[in-house]
Amino acid sequence: MKKIFYCLLVLITCTNVANAAEKMTEAQLGQILFLDPNFSINRTMSCATCHDPSKSFSDQRENSGLAMVSLGDDTKSLGTRNTPMAAYANTSPSFHYDEVLKEYVGGQFLDGRANTLSDQAMGPPLNPVEMALPDAETLVKRLQENPFYVSTFKRLYGETVFDSKQSDGVLPAFNGFSRALQAFEKTDAFSSYDSKYDRFLKGEYDLTVLEDLGRTLFFSNNNVNCNSCHMLKTEDSPKEPFTNHQYRNIGVPSNDQLIALGHIKEDFIDHGLLENPAVDDPKYDGKFKNPSLRNVAVTAPYMHNGVFKELRTVMEFYDHYNNTERTINPETGKPWRSPEVPTTVDKEDLTAHALTDRKIDALVAFMKTLTDKRFEPLLMLDNKSQ
């Protein structure tokens, strides 16, 4: 990512700065900002560090976080949640309570605490365990170090963008920074809809027998109930995000391996949606946003705390609620552990018919067809590592 960023800077440097700024769109500006490491305290971490464009905008780095959680710019600090894939995040509506569904819907982060992509973009630069800038003023000063940014921001957001605060106290340039990132995240680079499944819908790809069985199972209300949380539209609709953007507690256990890293206490509990300042009803304790299944096969590990390493393990975990023979976690060789937050598990959504191994294989095969075309080589790398 650094090479890409510096190539972009070289192009800008070799061009008249004023001319480059004059032609730059907000989304193009957002792309450069996304790749720029200068907005972290030590200038070593960009948005792309934890949302790698070559890895479906997820964090697959090999470091002390073990891909379960992300390592901060200081090379010491670790998060407590698995970094969500940024791809297809642009399909989420603003965070709100739906009076018809009687559900919280949308937002960004696993607890929806950021209303929009722009709001979300303001978080990591100022988070002490991520990019760790002390305040928004520091970020704006970093912008002003670069004549290209100064010229582009003034053209896009007004000549006074660096001069004062807005009425709500937000610096206009900081707001422009987040708006540009949002514009970039709304482009097709983050949601290409060109997977084998999308090509199947267009008549450009024939599903294998196993993939087609998985598709049938996925969309069937009489089998595995996947679509109760991972379908927004109707069966085989174009541009399906494979999430309803709602929140559920599926009984995920705490992650012993994560606790063993030493940055959280042994009795640590992540309360999910209840960590959102807008939510205070205890019935939402332990509920997390249903993730998109787009690119799910190449964005391991899984769950909010990265507790499962393999997609097949996730399917066996779901099945253990309904299958008396599915008692052992295949990754540990031990019985499935108790939920981190047991009192609010959404048992109704987890009720389904027991699955055979072949049906689990079929569902995994179908979910692999949801991989964007440019990330399909990652599936082959994963197969080689097994």
Side-chain angles (χ1 to χ4, degrees):
M1 265 66 64
K2 284 186 178 180
K3 289 183 179 179
I4 296 173
F5 170 68
Y6 288 123
C7 285
L8 287 169
L9 281 190
V10 168
L11 286 173
I12 293 168
T13 304
C14 293
T15 309
N16 182 283
V17 169
N19 289 342
E22 186 64 32
K23 298 177 181 178
M24 188 69 54
T25 66
E26 190 173 39
Q28 289 170 333
L29 171 63
Q31 181 178 11
I32 295 173
L33 293 171
F34 190 86
L35 298 168
D36 190 343
N38 286 307
F39 304 110
S40 60
I41 190 67
N42 295 314
R43 303 179 189 262
T44 65
M45 186 179 202
S46 69
C47 301
T49 301
C50 295
H51 299 289
D52 187 339
S54 68
K55 302 291 177 62
S56 189
F57 298 96
S58 65
D59 189 354
Q60 303 291 317
R61 292 177 292 164
E62 296 180 2
N63 54 40
S64 58
L66 304 177
M68 296 182 297
V69 293
S70 291
L71 182 67
D73 181 66
D74 63 1
T75 70
K76 296 178 182 179
S77 298
L78 294 169
T80 59
R81 293 176 178 172
N82 183 248
T83 300
M85 174 187 71
Y88 296 93
N90 57 22
T91 65
S92 181
S94 297
F95 184 76
H96 66 283
Y97 184 79
D98 189 300
E99 293 289 351
V100 176
L101 297 172
K102 303 299 180 184
E103 299 274 3
Y104 283 103
V105 182
Q108 301 295 330
F109 295 117
L110 292 172
D111 56 18
R113 66 184 185 277
N115 191 37
T116 64
L117 284 168
S118 178
D119 295 333
Q120 185 277 330
M122 292 182 174
L126 307 186
N127 190 317
V129 301
E130 294 184 56
M131 300 167 84
L133 290 181
D135 48 46
E137 285 82 1
T138 302
L139 185 142
V140 172
K141 288 178 182 177
R142 298 273 179 103
L143 287 170
Q144 290 175 295
E145 294 172 359
N146 188 323
F148 165 74
Y149 286 147
V150 172
S151 297
T152 306
F153 269 67
K154 286 184 176 181
R155 182 178 66 83
L156 290 174
Y157 307 118
E159 286 293 325
T160 62
V161 67
F162 291 104
D163 295 347
S164 60
K165 289 185 178 181
Q166 298 173 170
S167 58
D168 58 3
V170 177
L171 294 171
F174 187 41
N175 187 53
F177 173 86
S178 66
R179 281 180 53 186
L181 286 169
Q182 175 175 262
F184 175 47
E185 290 187 70
K186 286 187 174 182
T187 66
D188 291 347
F190 283 79
S191 50
S192 57
Y193 295 103
D194 60 358
S195 68
K196 286 182 178 179
Y197 174 71
D198 298 294
R199 300 188 321 255
F200 158 75
L201 294 181
K202 296 176 182 178
E204 299 170 357
Y205 174 76
D206 292 326
L207 296 175
T208 67
V209 172
L210 197 63
E211 291 166 349
D212 200 32
L213 173 60
R215 168 178 160 270
T216 300
L217 291 168
F218 183 92
F219 287 114
S220 172
N221 292 324
N222 298 319
N223 282 280
V224 295
N225 213 19
C226 300
N227 59 20
S228 67
C229 294
H230 293 286
M231 186 173 74
L232 184 66
K233 303 178 182 180
T234 56
E235 181 176 343
D236 288 339
S237 293
K239 295 190 174 183
E240 168 62 59
F242 287 96
T243 172
N244 59 10
H245 304 297
Q246 296 174 23
Y247 293 79
R248 295 290 185 273
N249 177 0
I250 59 170
V252 174
S254 60
N255 186 347
D256 282 348
Q257 192 176 12
L258 180 61
I259 292 172
L261 296 180
H263 68 298
I264 54 177
K265 296 180 180 180
E266 290 187 8
D267 60 353
F268 172 79
I269 295 176
D270 191 330
H271 295 283
L273 188 54
L274 206 56
E275 304 277 359
N276 185 321
V279 180
D280 57 12
D281 191 328
K283 73 179 183 180
Y284 298 110
D285 193 5
K287 296 181 185 288
F288 292 87
K289 192 177 181 188
N290 297 330
S292 170
L293 296 183
R294 294 273 177 177
N295 299 312
V296 67
V298 295
T299 52
Y302 302 103
M303 306 305 184
H304 67 274
N305 54 11
V307 68
F308 299 139
K309 296 179 177 62
E310 303 292 339
L311 186 54
R312 199 180 197 286
T313 304
V314 175
M315 296 313 303
E316 292 196 29
F317 171 75
Y318 279 110
D319 191 44
H320 96 277
Y321 287 105
N322 305 290
N323 190 338
T324 57
E325 296 181 2
R326 197 79 66 184
T327 60
I328 302 297
N329 179 338
E331 293 181 4
T332 64
K334 299 177 181 180
W336 299 102
R337 296 174 57 244
S338 300
E340 186 175 21
V341 180
T343 57
T344 59
V345 174
D346 290 287
K347 296 179 180 178
E348 183 176 343
D349 286 303
L350 293 166
T351 301
H353 290 302
L355 296 172
T356 63
D357 285 346
R358 177 170 169 76
K359 287 182 177 180
I360 285 182
D361 289 341
L363 284 163
V364 171
F366 173 66
M367 284 187 277
K368 287 182 177 181
T369 71
L370 305 182
T371 307
D372 290 348
K373 189 172 185 178
R374 66 190 185 279
F375 302 131
E376 287 174 359
L378 298 178
L379 292 171
M380 292 183 282
L381 289 175
D382 183 59
N383 290 335
K384 289 180 181 179
S385 66
Q386 294 179 4

